Amino acid sequence: MTTALKSIKSLAPLLDRILVQRIKAETKTAGGIFLPESSLKELNEAKVLAVGPGGLDKDGKRVAVSVAPGDKVLIPQYGGSPIKVGSEEYSLFRDHELLAKIKE
């Protein structure tokens, strides 16, 4: 999905949606060898850029999302709603679609 957004900062997720940017794989090995793009796999790690206020439970109470902006998370290989702003690619996931929070 291509959008007319000028900046990703103007996008605010709704409900329990989470805006992430996939972390790019290293193109250089520890020994200094550069890897061709065809040999790189997409990582399942992403950085959380923005979060919605949370979903509503059956009683109408707000349920906060489990991550915060700046967190690193493990995302599924496929899924989410892709968003492209300029040459950068982002994805929107629901809170329950995230696989794990990476603690460093």
Side-chain angles (χ1 to χ4, degrees):
M1 170 166 126
T2 304
T3 62
L5 295 172
K6 301 275 187 231
S7 168
I8 198 66
K9 293 187 187 289
S10 63
L11 187 68
L14 299 175
L15 297 174
D16 65 341
R17 288 180 179 82
I18 298 166
L19 179 67
V20 300
Q21 184 174 27
R22 199 177 286 266
I23 296 173
K24 293 180 175 44
E26 289 290 324
T27 58
K28 187 176 176 184
T29 65
I33 299 172
F34 286 95
L35 301 172
E37 282 189 36
S38 60
S39 70
L40 298 177
K41 291 185 179 179
E42 276 194 343
L43 294 178
N44 288 1
E45 292 180 24
K47 182 177 179 184
V48 176
L49 301 176
V51 298
L56 300 174
D57 65 7
K58 63 181 178 180
D59 299 325
K61 294 181 183 170
R62 183 79 53 193
V63 177
V65 293
S66 57
V67 294
D71 288 347
K72 283 177 70 175
V73 293
L74 194 63
I75 57 174
Q77 184 73 27
Y78 302 103
S81 300
I83 299 170
K84 192 167 185 175
V85 178
S87 63
E88 295 291 323
E89 293 184 14
Y90 305 92
S91 296
L92 270 173
F93 286 94
R94 288 191 172 268
D95 189 35
H96 70 272
E97 293 175 331
L98 299 179
L99 303 176
K101 182 176 175 179
I102 300 171
K103 295 182 180 181
E104 294 185 32

